[in-house]
Amino acid sequence: MTQNRALQQWVSEMAQLCQPERIVWIDGTAEQKKVLEEEAVASGEMIRLDEQKWPGCFYHRTATNDVARTEQLTYICTSKKEDAGPTNNWMKPAEAYRQAALYFRGAMKGRTMYVIPFSMGPLGSPFSKIGIELTDSIYVVLNMLIMTRAGREILEQLGESDNFTRGLHSKADLDPNRRLILHFPEDNTIWSVGSGYGGNVLLGKKCLSLRIASWLSRREGWLAEHMLIMGIEDPTGKIDYIAAAFPSACGKTNLAMLIPPEHFRAQGYKVWTVGDDIAWLRIGEDGRLWAINPETGFFGVAPGTNAQSNPNALATIRRNTIFTNVLLTEDGDIWWEDGEGEPPASGIAWDGRPWKPGLTDDSGRPIPGAHPNSRFTAPIVQCPSVSPEWDNPRGVPLTAIVFGGRRSRLAPLVYETFSWQHGVYVGATMASEITAAQYGKQGQVRRDPMAMLPFCGYNMADYFHHWLNFGKKIEKPPKIFHVNWFRKNEAGDFIWPGFGENLRVLNWIIRRAHNQAGAVRTPIGFVPAEGELDLTNLEISGETIEQLFAIDPKDWQKELAGHSSFFAQFGDRLPQGIRDEYHALKERLALERIGTK
Ligand code: OXD
Ligand code: MN
């Protein structure tokens, strides 16, 4: 399918290593996709769902030991350890290749090696990057066909160039002791072996679009970020775009597909979805910051997706969707916890065992039918709120950047940072409290700068540096904000309704970015002045609003100590701009204390 010598040679070398029985090039046609689906069904790798209820949909179950990204087995392999930095696992490239080659050797015997040419970003856009993934998994191929632009036309675009990311994946024997997710940014290469879970094996997503892309973006002068992108249309038809970074499990997909509250809908406000997970940002010729979503689909968490949390997601996944590790019923239907409708009387759980409602484990805890990290893979074009601009090779111009985390006390509902540099500091100190869905002590704070902790492909201190420098080059930079939807009262209940109501906060952010909304200066940033956050038709007491915006000096002193100990690991490499912001915050908080006495 190609005359590209570099590509041909690499495919043949990798085939020699993995020894597949045959090699199939993915051409992106509907006919080939159909053949692959039939093969996957025949082999049992996929189950076709009820055609009436779920047209074009399939079900897949991963190995029970392979249900999430394995950060402990994920490595950045650079010649120098310092280039990977203290927040990444590191291996010397030669050692990493040697170790993984042991697992890849002969791993595809008796199997097919698929060659998937794909583009992250619209074909031919200055933003876009081409990758080739070699894999022995049909599930990977069918997911990549949803999540990326894949097929013959990518090869035409690539021509004779050897400028593509080389991705090699094999399920091998799915042994967690022989599993590695390796990134070689200096070689523009990814090797993933021993896993079949999306985040580890759809190499265009986290591996290329974040880890490798972050490395490339620093060299080439742009940003690769773990951000959703959405447009907010006001009643005059003007659309403002924002990009927002939240750690995993903080509702990025829900926010990106938000349905405005009635009061806003009646006035003509609309929300447009550009992306829910990844944003690539470049400075445009007009001096503004422009963003694209490099993906073409959603790989979203199923549990918790329901008509209240995300009706647009429910509509998106009605057809042509792959469901992984949800509950399957005998008649080809599916279900998940906190979804729609009553649980079925019986079914087969994500781990293949019979399930019925009310099932508990030895300690009396309910056994879920769907894995908490079960997923849907669905095409973005099926989303009712998909933006007409989602595929624009120029991207969309950003009015604001939003950072957020899950903090039950500390951070107010929303605040605006004082400058780009202060915004970078706020991003760099982002944190979330650990939820039941993650390892670690519940309530413990995990620092997750710009939500990139598991995804930054180089030293995080250099990443802060890059953000600071990059800001200096943007003539008309977007303003940077921080939000916290997760504040709780003493009784432990959330005090902000969230979901669609979050538009009220985004509305203030946009008006503020255009200097059309009032604010009050606090030591941590600007918060909405009284009456500036539109609360029409929202039942919320003045006392709750006060709690939502409370800035407790004691909590912030503790937080400041947390910043300092997090930054300590970067030593001298931490940029001066971050140090300056730390001292400025410390001073503002100290002054506040004197002031309130
Ligand atoms: C994801 C993640 O799957 O961030 O998007 O973990
Ligand atoms: Mn993500």
Side-chain angles (χ1 to χ4, degrees):
M1 216 162 77
T2 181
Q3 301 301 318
N4 184 316
R5 293 285 298 275
L7 175 54
Q8 282 174 340
Q9 193 180 335
W10 172 67
V11 172
S12 113
E13 275 169 24
M14 295 304 106
Q16 262 171 37
L17 174 66
C18 302
Q19 297 169 31
E21 193 173 292
R22 55 182 195 137
I23 298 178
V24 169
W25 290 69
I26 298 304
D27 61 16
T29 59
E31 295 76 48
Q32 189 186 47
K33 180 165 172 264
K34 203 157 170 273
V35 171
L36 293 172
E37 285 169 353
E38 271 154 22
E39 250 179 78
V41 170
S43 72
E45 197 164 340
M46 308 271 258
I47 293 169
R48 198 184 291 279
L49 295 182
D50 182 298
E51 266 295 328
Q52 295 300 315
K53 285 193 191 130
W54 299 100
C57 293
F58 293 88
Y59 178 81
H60 173 80
R61 205 174 267 134
T62 64
T64 51
N65 65 29
D66 191 25
V67 291
R69 285 184 290 102
T70 43
E71 288 177 20
Q72 73 282 12
L73 300 174
T74 300
Y75 287 81
I76 302 297
C77 309
T78 45
S79 315
K80 286 197 234 133
K81 186 170 186 197
E82 312 84 82
D83 289 342
T87 60
N88 280 314
N89 298 316
W90 175 82
M91 234 193 278
K92 239 187 180 358
E95 168 58 15
Y97 282 127
R98 194 196 59 78
Q99 181 73 32
L102 294 176
Y103 307 157
F104 275 117
R105 183 148 297 123
M108 297 187 190
K109 270 190 190 149
R111 298 181 186 170
T112 303
M113 175 192 266
Y114 300 96
V115 183
I116 316 171
F118 64 95
S119 172
M120 299 315 296
L123 211 54
S125 155
F127 280 93
S128 300
K129 297 287 175 200
I130 287 179
I132 311 286
E133 175 162 358
L134 310 179
T135 178
D136 54 3
S137 160
I138 293 196
Y139 171 76
V140 167
V141 176
L142 293 172
N143 274 272
M144 287 289 282
L145 286 171
I146 297 174
M147 297 301 295
T148 73
R149 299 150 176 94
R152 185 186 293 274
E153 56 182 3
I154 311 301
L155 293 177
E156 283 157 20
Q157 175 76 25
L158 183 65
E160 293 295 310
S161 167
D162 70 349
N163 186 10
F164 58 91
T165 303
R166 289 152 168 77
L168 174 65
H169 165 248
S170 173
K171 297 180 285 190
D173 43 12
L174 294 173
D175 178 352
N177 296 314
R178 291 158 57 84
R179 180 175 297 159
L180 284 170
I181 321 298
L182 305 173
H183 304 75
F184 304 90
E186 291 156 357
D187 303 340
N188 199 0
T189 292
I190 304 157
W191 278 20
S192 165
V193 63
S195 172
Y197 170 74
N200 291 334
V201 301
L202 307 180
L203 301 187
K205 194 174 181 58
K206 303 297 189 182
C207 301
L208 192 164
S209 291
L210 290 175
R211 299 196 190 95
I212 294 288
S214 62
W215 173 283
L216 294 174
S217 67
R218 176 167 171 245
R219 211 172 57 191
E220 298 168 1
W222 51 286
L223 290 174
E225 297 302 324
H226 190 199
M227 290 177 173
L228 66 90
I229 310 168
M230 65 196 286
I232 293 132
E233 181 174 337
D234 76 6
T236 70
K238 179 172 75 73
I239 304 180
D240 282 278
Y241 294 93
I242 66 164
F246 300 92
S248 307
C250 285
K252 285 216 311 291
T253 305
N254 293 348
L255 187 67
M257 298 182 192
L258 172 157
I259 295 194
E262 178 53 34
H263 163 64
F264 284 85
R265 243 179 308 152
Q267 291 173 67
Y269 280 94
K270 289 195 188 93
V271 162
W272 298 108
T273 308
V274 180
D276 78 328
D277 196 39
I278 297 172
W280 286 356
L281 315 177
R282 278 180 184 267
I283 303 169
E285 278 167 16
D286 61 357
R288 290 190 290 175
L289 189 57
W290 291 71
I292 66 154
N293 164 18
E295 304 187 283
T296 54
F298 305 118
F299 181 63
V301 176
T305 305
N306 58 49
Q308 197 224 343
S309 65
N310 198 337
N312 278 329
L314 280 188
T316 307
I317 62 181
R318 291 307 310 186
R319 57 207 153 88
N320 308 323
T321 296
I322 298 171
F323 293 93
T324 304
N325 291 344
V326 298
L327 178 95
L328 179 71
T329 68
E330 282 83 359
D331 56 355
D333 200 355
I334 46 171
W335 183 84
W336 52 81
E337 277 73 16
D338 291 326
E340 282 300 290
E342 292 301 309
S346 69
I348 310 158
W350 68 274
D351 57 2
R353 291 201 283 201
W355 184 91
K356 59 181 190 308
L359 215 58
T360 54
D361 66 12
D362 291 344
S363 37
R365 275 188 300 258
I367 297 179
H371 188 276
N373 192 34
S374 53
R375 299 276 175 153
F376 53 78
T377 318
I380 186 170
V381 290
Q382 292 182 185
C383 180
S385 59
V386 65
S387 162
E389 299 297 314
W390 81 271
D391 202 17
N392 190 332
R394 263 179 16 121
V396 293
L398 295 183
T399 301
I401 288 177
V402 179
F403 293 124
R406 184 183 277 274
R407 303 304 295 264
S408 53
R409 296 175 59 90
L410 183 86
L413 179 62
V414 57
Y415 63 96
E416 178 196 341
T417 62
F418 297 122
S419 63
W420 180 273
Q421 179 170 290
H422 180 223
V424 174
Y425 182 85
V426 167
T429 52
M430 245 171 77
S432 240
E433 279 148 24
I434 291 172
T435 64
Q438 288 154 312
Y439 294 109
K441 223 170 109 207
Q442 272 200 49
Q444 202 178 317
V445 169
R446 164 165 143 143
R447 298 265 154 222
D448 189 353
M450 281 89 167
M452 283 288 278
L453 188 72
F455 307 119
C456 183
Y458 62 103
N459 190 314
M460 201 121 218
D462 298 347
Y463 170 71
F464 299 152
H465 204 101
H466 179 43
W467 260 86
L468 293 169
N469 271 346
F470 186 72
K472 292 183 190 137
K473 296 185 193 132
I474 317 173
E475 215 180 294
K476 299 174 198 151
K479 286 198 174 168
I480 302 179
F481 295 79
H482 186 279
V483 298
N484 176 23
W485 317 131
F486 299 98
R487 204 139 173 175
K488 290 183 177 170
N489 59 16
E490 294 302 323
D493 307 315
F494 291 116
I495 54 176
W496 176 249
F499 302 114
E501 308 299 343
N502 292 338
L503 184 71
R504 298 174 189 272
V505 174
L506 301 183
N507 178 257
W508 179 78
I509 286 177
I510 290 165
R511 286 188 294 120
R512 189 67 198 152
H514 293 305
N515 299 316
Q516 291 163 352
V520 175
R521 196 184 164 95
T522 78
I524 62 161
F526 293 108
V527 297
E530 208 179 322
E532 290 291 342
L533 193 64
D534 188 342
L535 298 172
T536 315
N537 294 348
L538 188 66
E539 268 181 43
I540 193 161
S541 69
E543 196 191 326
T544 303
I545 292 293
E546 227 165 78
Q547 281 180 22
L548 278 167
F549 284 101
I551 297 167
D552 181 335
K554 273 204 299 304
D555 284 350
W556 277 90
Q557 287 302 334
K558 216 167 120 206
E559 174 71 6
L560 201 59
H563 295 182
S564 166
S565 55
F566 178 70
F567 286 143
Q569 64 184 312
F570 300 109
D572 291 348
R573 217 141 159 162
L574 191 73
Q576 191 58 40
I578 297 290
R579 290 172 202 278
D580 291 347
E581 287 299 326
Y582 170 80
H583 290 296
L585 174 61
K586 193 170 175 178
E587 226 161 83
R588 291 194 303 267
L589 288 169
L591 280 174
E592 172 76 358
R593 278 220 295 198
I594 296 163
T596 52
K597 263 186 191 159

